[in-house]
């Protein structure tokens, strides 16, 4: 029997309210309303907009809260999924110990839950995306930052206090781009910001040697360098850009080898930059994995791009709601 769900995606720049309908392993998005977060105006302003837009969806679809089976919130951490409290995420200044789940249940009366965005995305790709049918799956964000959500033995593993999966903090080198506040971290080598840092360093070396760079004409343009620009140059065959992605791909392989050896997953699903630039990263990552990971573990693990694409954030919030119904 179809079940109606509400998803709430809270981000640092924008939020969305999503109405979905699930039946078996299928999830359909029925309606969606988005609006800017406006962090400078504080959490009360955003929460007011969240409630207002939920009410709008109800009005548009002629629904009442009693018709909703569950509501899921996807939000950047740190947070406490057990008590439903958001605890000072870096991208949401002022959101200090906000009891989001309690506020939703008291206002609407429906079952509600919250997960950090990486865990929510893991649930989405596991239930409705590339990881369907797996028991042990890792989802990895490879975008602004690098994080992961862990599905172990057929359920989400969040750790003792929702901090499991912070793989971007692992230091893979004593020197390198800074990510997660740590030079040489996995996030430093494998994130949009990290690839940009790596590119700027290598480009500056070329300039100091008196060499030219096809996708950056002078040091004045270094601030414009980002992962997408480097990827576009690499796709055109630029050797320098290809080398930057080779380095990132090799460090991706180093980190994945550690996860494969420790967690023995059957699938690792990687989003964002990996999904868009798979051909630039995967061959180098796989060479390292062949060399570093245990053969018995490596041979049963598939590494694939995320399947849900631009809808991943919407499916993530709805998947938190769907997961509540499985418990």
């Amino acid at each position: 029997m179809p079940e109606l769900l509400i998803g709430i995606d809270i981000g640092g720049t924008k939020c969305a309210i999503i109405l979905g309908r699930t039946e078996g392993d299928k999830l359909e998005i029925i309606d969606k309303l988005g609006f800017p977060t406006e962090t400078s105006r504080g959490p009360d302003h955003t929460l007011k907009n969240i409630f207002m837009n939920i009410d709008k969806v109800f009005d548009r679809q002629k629904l009442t809260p009693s018709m909703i089976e569950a509501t899921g919130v996807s939000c950047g951490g740190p947070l406490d999924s057990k008590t439903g409290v958001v605890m000072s995420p870096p991208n949401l200044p002022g959101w200090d110990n906000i009891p989001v789940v309690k506020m939703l249940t008291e206002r609407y009366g429906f079952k509600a839950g919250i997960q950090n965005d990486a865990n929510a995305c893991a649930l989405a790709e596991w239930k409705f995306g590339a990881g369907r049918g797996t028991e042990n799956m890792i989802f990895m964000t490879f975008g602004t930052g690098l994080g992961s959500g862990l599905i172990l033995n057929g359920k989400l593993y969040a750790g003792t206090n929702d901090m499991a999966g912070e793989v971007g903090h692992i230091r893979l080198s004593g020197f390198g781009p800074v990510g997660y506040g740590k030079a040489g971290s996995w996030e430093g080598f494998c994130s949009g910001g990290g690839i940009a840092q790596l590119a700027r360093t290598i480009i500056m070396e070329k300039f100091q040697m008196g060499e030219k760079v096809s996708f950056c004409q002078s040091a004045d343009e270094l601030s414009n360098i980002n992962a997408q620009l480097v990827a576009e140059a690499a796709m055109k065959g630029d050797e320098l850009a290809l080398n930057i992605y080779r380095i990132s791909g090799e460090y991706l392989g180093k980190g994945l080898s550690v996860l494969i050896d420790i967690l023995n997953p059957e699938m690792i699903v990687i989003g964002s930059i990996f999904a868009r630039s798979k051909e630039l990263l995967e061959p180098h990552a796989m060479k390292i994995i062949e060399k570093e990971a245990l053969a018995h573990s490596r041979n049963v693990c598939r590494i694939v791009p995320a399947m849900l694409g631009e809808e991943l954030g919407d499916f993530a919030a709805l998947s938190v709601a769907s997961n509540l119904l499985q418990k």
Side-chain angles (χ1 to χ4, degrees):
M1 184 176 175
E3 295 170 322
L4 291 175
L5 308 171
I6 290 282
I8 304 169
D9 185 9
I10 304 175
T13 57
K14 62 183 186 301
C15 296
I17 306 300
I18 309 104
L19 175 67
R21 178 169 49 224
T22 183
E23 186 168 9
D25 64 352
K26 292 183 173 61
L27 178 62
E28 174 191 4
I29 293 172
I30 300 169
D31 202 352
K32 176 181 175 179
L33 286 173
F35 53 94
T37 307
E38 297 181 280
T39 53
S40 62
R41 301 182 68 175
D44 288 344
H45 174 77
T46 302
L47 289 162
K48 181 181 176 183
N49 273 336
I50 286 171
F51 298 143
M52 182 177 71
N53 281 280
I54 290 173
D55 294 341
K56 276 186 186 176
V57 168
F58 286 159
D59 289 341
R60 279 159 52 133
Q61 299 296 327
K62 297 180 171 53
L63 298 173
T64 62
S66 63
M67 299 166 74
I68 303 299
E69 293 294 330
T71 294
V73 181
S74 171
C75 180
L79 54 79
D80 187 332
S81 63
K82 296 180 182 70
T83 60
V85 174
V86 177
M87 303 185 300
S88 309
N91 65 338
L92 293 170
W95 285 64
D96 304 321
N97 299 312
I98 305 295
V100 173
V101 168
K102 182 181 178 185
M103 295 169 82
L104 286 165
T105 54
E106 286 182 352
R107 182 180 176 98
Y108 296 104
F110 41 49
K111 182 184 290 189
I114 189 170
Q115 291 290 344
N116 71 51
D117 44 10
N119 285 350
C121 287
L123 288 170
E125 285 289 345
W126 177 48
K127 287 290 187 182
F128 307 107
R132 273 186 292 191
T134 61
E135 283 286 308
N136 296 288
M137 184 206 89
I138 301 171
F139 170 81
M140 294 187 60
T141 64
F142 187 150
T144 305
L146 183 76
S148 73
L150 309 175
I151 305 296
L152 302 178
N153 294 330
K155 61 182 180 180
L156 178 68
Y157 177 77
T160 303
N161 64 344
D162 290 289
M163 291 299 289
E166 298 293 353
V167 297
H169 195 246
I170 299 169
R171 196 190 301 273
L172 295 179
S173 172
F175 177 79
V178 177
Y180 220 131
K182 185 185 282 186
S185 67
W186 195 1
E187 181 171 286
F189 287 102
C190 297
S191 66
I195 289 172
Q197 286 181 61
L198 188 63
R200 290 182 197 122
T201 300
I202 292 173
I203 291 167
M204 182 56 75
E205 288 174 353
K206 293 294 181 184
F207 287 158
Q208 289 178 352
M209 296 293 290
E211 298 178 34
K212 292 183 179 179
V213 176
S214 70
F215 54 96
C216 183
Q217 305 308 309
S218 71
D220 293 336
E221 296 180 9
L222 280 173
S223 61
N224 298 328
I225 294 295
N226 58 38
Q228 182 179 347
L229 187 69
V230 180
E232 288 169 356
M235 294 289 193
K236 294 174 184 174
D238 184 275
E239 287 297 324
L240 183 65
L242 285 166
N243 187 49
I244 292 164
Y245 268 83
R246 175 191 62 77
I247 294 168
S248 181
E250 288 177 351
Y251 276 96
L252 177 63
K254 288 181 181 181
L256 292 178
S257 297
V258 173
L259 296 185
I260 289 167
D261 282 351
I262 294 173
L263 296 176
N264 190 204
E266 58 196 285
M267 183 179 287
I268 299 175
V269 181
I270 314 178
S272 300
I273 290 171
F274 180 83
R276 293 193 296 268
S277 304
K278 181 172 176 273
E279 59 268 49
L280 299 175
L281 294 161
E282 184 182 50
H284 307 296
M286 294 309 297
K287 273 186 187 177
I288 299 296
I289 290 168
E290 286 288 326
K291 177 183 173 185
E292 296 291 338
L294 287 164
H296 281 303
S297 300
R298 181 184 72 228
N299 292 338
V300 298
C301 180
R302 287 185 293 147
I303 297 166
V304 301
M307 198 174 92
L308 295 175
E310 297 303 314
E311 289 188 312
L312 179 55
D314 300 338
F315 272 78
L318 290 168
S319 295
V320 176
S322 176
N323 195 52
L324 291 173
L325 302 179
Q326 311 302 314
K327 295 181 178 179

